[in-house]
Amino acid sequence: MNILFWNVGKKNLESEIATIMTSTHTDILVLAEYENASSNLLRILQQRGIIEYSALSTIGCNRIKVFTNSEMKYFRPVEDADRYSIIEFHKPGNLCLLMAMVHLSSKLFWKEDDQRIEVSFFRSDIERIEKSEGHSNTIIFGDFNMNPFDPGMISAEAMHSLSCLNTAKSVHRTIKGRQHSFFYNPSWNLLGDRDGVAGTYFYKDSNYISYHWNLLDQVILRPSIADRFDKQSFRIVTEAGGINLLNANNRPALSDHLPIFFSINLINEESYEKLMA
Amino acid sequence: MKNLWPEKFEENSNPSAKSILEEQTELLPKITNGIVDAEVVNSDDIIENIENDFSYRFNLIGRFIKNYRFKVLSFFHDITLYPVYFNLDEEIATELGYKDNNIKIQTPESLEEFLRTVLQSERVKKVIGSIIKLSK
């Protein structure tokens, strides 16, 4: 399953989105700050002869729009709030997956502590849902508006997401008698400029400490399903289908964010063996 | 032994936010033919910057879409019931003209009016409408 997330910054980028999602063979496209009707993008795709995508309904979360080439019947809305949408994907022969897609509050308006507290509400929502669904096959992705090293991503009361899968596989740690479960955050691998850009969002402020490049768009997932995550596939998209998403200064050109792309294998072993036989 | 307690106690007659919303949860299924429910649930959210003893959230539920939930608001207060601190869905807060979505309600009178405007907001109507549509 190929997934692309992009905060399009309220820009009309249907043509570019259509090119990028088709050239990357995206199965699930998630957009934040896409303010046009979903039919606009579907129309562009149809004009290009691509008819297999449809728009999923995120009932209560208008910040997130979801498009997919999988059948709608495999998706079930689980819970929405203003800043996130949680859906279940369950296709026969595949792992049942809880997908939480986020566009959390911005650093421009919220202090770090506020972000940490707010995301702790979200974490407890996730855990409540995992308990009621009876599994924790959970992946969370989108615009967290935090870097992987920010307290809201690291703190045990917040997302508690670690850079090391081995460590995260210990599932939880106990602090003063209370257990705090881990997430694994492969997004740490995208920090720095070894593979091109050093983040997904560029912001230079006038303070002494300014990261300039920030990795606000991330993926985190429960360690129990992390082995299904294709780390090699996970990247910040700077070019796709002949479209360059960077300007001459190597900064985001189309939206203020760059998209992220990743693959996750959801096929269950028995189904995979049958498929390969 | 000397009795240091007051002679009598009077029950706090102010309606709690929880009781007002619980009344509304009984009405909603009746007006949506049982398709949309609402609930007030205890919230064990961690809140560090506000003193509170009682915290809840208020959700809309789509019974026929496998108990899909939409969070309208959460709220908390201490033992005295007021003030009540609300964390409201951001879009509802914007629609109702609030600067941010953390709202403090001081009195029972203003509480009922506040909840009326929330439940009658376009956002809530739209979500309920979507739940009804998807439930068919």
Side-chain angles (χ1 to χ4, degrees):
Chain A
M1 169 78 70
N2 295 332
I3 300 176
L4 181 80
F5 171 82
W6 196 7
N7 179 332
V8 295
K10 303 181 186 180
K11 302 278 175 58
N12 299 326
L13 296 171
E14 279 88 357
S15 178
E16 291 84 351
I17 294 169
T19 303
I20 293 166
M21 63 191 280
T22 49
S23 66
T24 53
H25 308 289
T26 293
D27 298 305
I28 297 179
L29 168 72
V30 180
L31 300 175
E33 294 197 26
Y34 177 71
E35 299 195 330
N36 297 338
S38 298
S39 55
N40 285 13
L41 177 58
L42 293 175
R43 196 177 313 116
I44 301 273
L45 289 165
Q46 284 160 15
Q47 284 167 2
R48 299 182 188 188
I50 302 158
I51 57 170
E52 61 267 28
Y53 287 93
S54 44
L56 288 183
S57 174
T58 48
I59 302 170
C61 181
N62 293 324
R63 292 176 186 277
I64 300 284
K65 299 270 168 69
V66 186
F67 301 83
T68 182
N69 57 9
S70 292
E71 289 185 59
M72 306 273 266
K73 64 183 181 183
Y74 300 139
F75 296 89
R76 173 177 68 88
V78 174
E79 186 162 316
D80 286 338
D82 44 15
R83 290 276 177 185
Y84 64 79
S85 182
I86 302 173
I87 58 178
E88 178 195 84
F89 174 76
H90 194 191
K91 187 175 172 181
N94 281 234
L95 185 77
C96 182
L97 186 71
L98 272 176
M99 289 201 307
M101 300 156 289
V102 302
H103 182 200
L104 302 183
S105 302
S106 171
K107 280 180 184 301
L108 293 173
F109 306 112
W110 284 55
K111 294 177 192 160
E112 219 166 59
D113 272 348
D114 292 323
Q115 285 184 308
R116 178 178 57 81
I117 292 168
E118 186 69 13
V119 87
S120 72
F121 297 152
F122 173 60
R123 180 202 50 76
S124 65
D125 287 342
I126 291 287
E127 290 183 344
R128 173 179 46 78
I129 291 166
E130 287 174 334
K131 197 172 169 187
S132 72
E133 296 293 323
H135 69 82
S136 54
N137 301 331
T138 306
I139 188 166
I140 307 173
F141 60 94
D143 183 358
F144 287 80
N145 262 312
M146 290 183 283
N147 282 299
F149 45 81
D150 280 337
M153 296 302 295
I154 293 285
S155 177
E157 64 183 314
M159 293 321 300
H160 208 200
S161 60
L162 303 186
S163 58
C164 172
L165 177 56
N166 234 17
T167 311
K169 274 185 173 174
S170 45
V171 182
H172 60 257
R173 67 181 171 122
T174 303
I175 304 169
K176 296 203 172 173
R178 185 181 282 199
Q179 279 190 356
H180 300 273
S181 57
F182 286 121
F183 280 94
Y184 165 54
N185 189 351
S187 314
W188 281 84
N189 293 289
L190 300 182
L191 286 169
D193 64 353
R194 189 192 63 180
D195 296 324
V197 291
T200 59
Y201 179 83
F202 186 89
Y203 179 75
K204 187 170 101 175
D205 64 37
S206 53
N207 297 323
Y208 281 105
I209 296 179
S210 173
Y211 302 122
H212 291 58
W213 276 106
N214 297 273
L215 193 73
L216 305 184
D217 308 90
Q218 304 179 58
V219 182
I220 65 173
L221 62 167
R222 288 295 190 194
S224 56
I225 59 167
D227 289 335
R228 293 173 174 269
F229 184 84
D230 181 356
K231 246 195 278 193
Q232 300 309 313
S233 72
F234 186 28
R235 64 184 188 277
I236 300 168
V237 181
T238 55
E239 186 278 330
I243 294 179
N244 186 358
L245 282 82
L246 299 174
N247 62 21
N249 294 323
N250 250 21
R251 291 179 196 162
L254 302 180
S255 164
D256 52 351
H257 287 248
L258 292 168
I260 55 172
F261 174 90
F262 61 94
S263 297
I264 181 165
N265 174 24
L266 298 177
I267 298 176
N268 282 335
E269 273 181 19
E270 308 91 39
S271 306
Y272 184 72
E273 278 161 18
K274 274 186 199 164
L275 189 69
M276 298 309 289
Chain B
M1 190 187 309
K2 198 172 178 186
N3 184 1
L4 301 175
W5 294 103
E7 277 186 18
K8 59 176 180 174
F9 298 98
E10 279 178 21
E11 188 179 313
N12 186 341
S13 59
N14 288 328
S16 67
K18 179 175 183 262
S19 63
I20 294 175
L21 282 169
E22 279 178 338
E23 285 172 1
Q24 303 309 309
T25 65
E26 290 174 21
L27 293 169
L28 186 59
K30 292 175 186 166
I31 56 179
T32 59
N33 292 323
I35 297 174
V36 188
D37 259 337
E39 64 181 3
V40 180
V41 291
N42 283 327
S43 176
D44 56 3
D45 292 332
I46 299 162
I47 298 156
E48 291 187 359
N49 60 348
I50 299 174
E51 290 289 321
N52 73 91
D53 295 322
F54 304 93
S55 56
Y56 307 93
R57 61 190 280 165
F58 178 70
N59 299 320
L60 298 174
I61 306 171
R63 287 288 177 214
F64 298 105
I65 33 180
K66 220 178 169 189
N67 289 341
Y68 162 85
R69 279 173 166 75
F70 171 74
K71 177 187 163 190
V72 179
L73 52 84
S74 56
F75 62 98
F76 22 86
H77 53 77
D78 66 18
I79 191 68
T80 60
L81 301 183
Y82 290 88
V84 188
Y85 298 89
F86 286 89
N87 177 266
L88 186 56
D89 172 88
E90 282 182 30
E91 288 190 43
I92 298 176
T94 303
E95 182 189 327
L96 298 181
Y98 291 103
K99 257 193 330 190
D100 72 42
N101 64 330
N102 293 310
I103 294 138
K104 181 176 166 183
I105 299 291
Q106 305 264 29
T107 66
E109 295 76 28
S110 50
L111 172 64
E112 192 172 299
E113 176 58 17
F114 168 74
L115 290 175
R116 185 192 67 77
T117 59
V118 169
L119 298 186
Q120 292 186 15
S121 65
E122 290 305 311
R123 170 92 159 129
V124 167
K125 282 191 222 169
K126 209 169 172 183
V127 170
I128 291 175
S130 296
I131 293 174
I132 291 171
K133 186 174 179 182
L134 287 172
S135 299
K136 290 184 176 162

